[in-house]
Amino acid sequence: EIMLKINWNIVMKYFVVSIVTSGIAYVLMNKFLIYDESVYVFLLNLIPYLIISLFGYLGITYCIDKRTRRLLSSIINELLQKS
């Protein structure tokens, strides 16, 4: 028998951040994304919006969550030590 303990505060925090960043990306894509018949051109146009969404999500979670802040700091420190 396995008992799972879920911290709903953290789950809801990440859920709200993902909804906010997805909503912003959705609005930006509806307003500015050019839908082209070529899949390759469309994907090239889509990449900046995906990058904006990723950095927005990481930035917001970095500001509001100590665990994410620690994780991103560890990743950056590890990358800097490898260089």
Side-chain angles (χ1 to χ4, degrees):
E1 188 173 316
I2 298 174
M3 296 294 292
L4 293 175
K5 183 180 178 190
I6 298 175
N7 189 341
W8 288 106
N9 287 336
I10 292 174
V11 171
M12 290 307 296
K13 189 184 321 185
Y14 284 111
F15 180 72
V16 168
V17 170
S18 66
I19 294 296
V20 167
T21 54
S22 298
I24 291 170
Y26 177 76
V27 168
L28 287 174
M29 284 190 285
N30 276 339
K31 193 164 189 145
F32 299 111
L33 182 62
I34 299 168
Y35 295 96
D36 199 295
E37 289 183 19
S38 170
V39 172
Y40 301 113
V41 173
F42 174 71
L43 289 177
L44 286 175
N45 290 335
L46 185 64
I47 288 173
Y49 297 100
L50 296 176
I51 292 171
I52 289 170
S53 298
L54 174 69
F55 282 116
Y57 179 81
L58 290 175
I60 293 171
T61 55
Y62 184 85
C63 291
I64 65 172
D65 189 50
K66 184 171 69 171
R67 291 179 184 172
T68 304
R69 196 174 309 126
R70 209 171 346 156
L71 175 66
L72 289 177
S73 297
S74 298
I75 290 171
I76 291 170
N77 288 336
E78 189 69 27
L79 290 174
L80 290 176
Q81 287 177 1
K82 298 284 181 180
S83 317

